Amino acid sequence: MLAAENLGGALLCAQHNFSWLTAGGASGVDTSREQGAGALLVRNDGQRFVLASRIEMERLLAEELSAEEFEPIEFAWEEEKASPTFLVERARALLKDGAALGSDLPTSANARTIEGAVARCRHQLTSSEIERFRRLGSDAGQALGELVKTLAPGESEREIARRVIDALAAGGMKAVVCLVAADERVQRFRHPIPTERRWEKVLMVVVCARRHGLIASLTRIVCAGVAPDELRRRTLATAQVNSRLLAATRAGASGADLYKVAARAYGEVGFEGEQQLHHQGGACGYRTRDWTAHPSSSESVFVNQAFAWNPSITGTKVEETCINFADGVEIITATPGWPQIITQAGGREYTSPDVLAL
């Protein structure tokens, strides 16, 4: 990538890229910021550095990476605070012959922003990343499924969210997104931030669970008693859209191609235009979505790339995380014992989570 971009080095400041390049390390202290408490520099001769203030360096070397893999460049925190471009200038000084510097964040006019190019380096998962992702998906699917089965009508959305977050935390996962909708809020809002609304009949829980940098996304819907016929009809239709997307997730397909697949599928199942009410998901990994499918998307699908599709029809939704292999996709977030909807697309069967009756 550095050669293609004619760069002498890449400065990675964002927390998700730190996790990627360190195979699951963390640079986050203040997680309200995209920039972490340490940065990584990859030079075009292969040399790698970690740049951090003396506040952070000792912990980073002890717990997140090693000096054998990244040469430490430590500096006084006062220097960093004195200049907003200090980190870029320190990185530039480590390059050879005044070569150009790229950065994943728009940190300075003296570094070209290259997050798109860095993201494409992350798209194809390594074998160890695939195994880490599978374990994360399995644990997230099981933790959310077991917790949701214990819920009872009368609990507030906020209390349910707290219990979900705690259940994930017990497995070493952090809920970077946790949405909860009760009853009419499932109908009204695609991104339902938890409120004091108490659950009566239908409940939707959405999580994006992160562990060692990777993020798995999934949605589960439960109903107190038998699910209404209309909810089941809409969920079946949504599952049919999901199967079309899963079947179309093949190497070389573009985000625009996949958007067209979803739009066409909504019309075929009797809900034309629903794709305009919410995005359909897309590629994922170290971010909840690296890119989403939309009419002008030129991003392409790779083998060994992760995806989280989340088709929705007003009042319901299905969402799982999968990995695209040469012979098709593998769902990694399925919940053991959860009811499944089996649909067909492209000559294969696909499963989507159904509504669970409690």
Side-chain angles (χ1 to χ4, degrees):
M1 183 276 285
L2 292 173
E5 297 290 333
N6 196 29
L7 293 169
L11 180 64
L12 305 182
C13 303
Q15 295 184 41
H16 61 272
N17 282 327
F18 186 100
S19 290
W20 164 61
L21 201 63
T22 60
S27 64
V29 174
D30 179 353
T31 57
S32 72
R33 301 170 182 267
E34 190 169 11
Q35 182 166 336
L40 305 175
L41 174 67
V42 182
R43 205 164 58 190
N44 61 359
D45 62 357
Q47 182 66 30
R48 298 185 294 179
F49 305 87
V50 54
L51 290 75
S53 74
R54 64 171 60 100
I55 301 173
E56 312 295 346
M57 185 64 81
E58 182 179 4
R59 187 191 68 81
L60 292 177
L61 294 176
E63 299 179 346
E64 308 298 348
L65 45 76
S66 78
E68 294 177 356
E69 298 170 324
F70 295 87
E71 180 181 334
I73 305 295
E74 186 177 282
F75 45 81
W77 68 266
E78 295 93 339
E79 292 181 276
E80 184 179 22
K81 296 298 183 183
S83 170
T85 62
F86 172 80
L87 198 60
V88 166
E89 298 311 317
R90 195 64 184 264
R92 281 169 55 86
L94 294 168
L95 302 185
K96 295 181 178 180
D97 303 321
L101 177 68
S103 175
D104 57 354
L105 296 180
T107 51
S108 166
N110 291 326
R112 190 191 333 151
T113 304
I114 56 166
E115 170 59 19
V118 175
R120 285 186 283 277
C121 294
R122 299 194 307 265
H123 284 171
Q124 288 188 282
L125 301 170
T126 65
S127 58
S128 61
E129 285 176 312
I130 289 169
E131 290 309 308
R132 281 167 44 211
F133 223 155
R134 281 174 170 150
R135 290 194 296 271
L136 167 62
S138 175
D139 290 350
Q142 183 168 345
L144 182 60
E146 289 180 353
L147 183 280
V148 169
K149 290 175 184 178
T150 70
L151 300 176
E155 294 181 80
S156 74
E157 294 171 344
R158 284 182 180 152
E159 173 61 15
I160 291 166
R162 183 194 64 78
R163 293 182 60 189
V164 168
I165 291 167
D166 288 349
L168 292 173
M173 297 169 278
K174 180 179 177 62
V176 295
V177 174
C178 183
L179 307 175
V180 182
D183 301 299
E184 79 284 349
R185 294 189 78 237
V186 181
Q187 296 274 345
R188 294 183 62 193
F189 306 120
R190 256 41 177 206
H191 289 159
I193 302 301
T195 69
E196 288 302 319
R197 173 71 167 84
R198 294 189 178 276
W199 169 38
E200 298 173 24
K201 181 66 175 177
V202 179
L203 182 76
M204 180 176 73
V205 181
V206 181
V207 297
C208 298
R210 180 172 63 197
R211 188 170 66 193
H212 303 311
L214 292 166
I215 301 172
S217 303
L218 59 160
T219 295
R220 298 292 181 265
I221 298 177
V222 296
C223 189
V226 178
D229 289 343
E230 182 62 13
L231 174 58
R232 299 190 68 85
R233 184 178 79 88
R234 287 173 175 252
T235 305
L236 171 59
T238 308
Q240 290 170 328
V241 175
N242 191 45
S243 66
R244 307 288 207 287
L245 280 167
L246 292 172
T249 304
R250 294 290 181 268
S254 71
D257 294 335
L258 290 158
Y259 176 86
K260 291 177 183 176
V261 167
R264 185 167 56 250
Y266 281 114
E268 290 172 352
V269 298
F271 291 92
E272 186 171 357
E274 284 281 335
Q275 79 281 358
Q276 298 172 352
L277 303 179
H278 190 249
H279 72 78
Q280 304 304 298
C284 64
Y286 290 89
R287 308 185 79 174
T288 54
R289 300 294 187 275
D290 274 320
W291 54 262
T292 57
H294 59 83
S296 56
S297 172
S298 60
E299 295 286 357
S300 295
V301 175
F302 290 88
V303 172
N304 296 350
Q305 186 175 15
F307 287 84
W309 298 115
N310 49 257
S312 61
I313 291 173
T314 301
T316 192
K317 174 186 177 187
V318 302
E319 180 179 25
E320 299 278 34
T321 299
C322 67
I323 299 175
N324 176 49
F325 295 108
D327 58 351
V329 297
E330 174 190 324
I331 302 295
I332 64 171
T333 47
T335 295
W338 196 273
Q340 298 291 315
I341 299 174
I342 300 175
T343 51
Q344 291 190 340
R348 293 186 57 173
E349 287 188 344
Y350 296 93
T351 60
S352 299
D354 202 351
V355 177
L356 175 68
L358 294 178

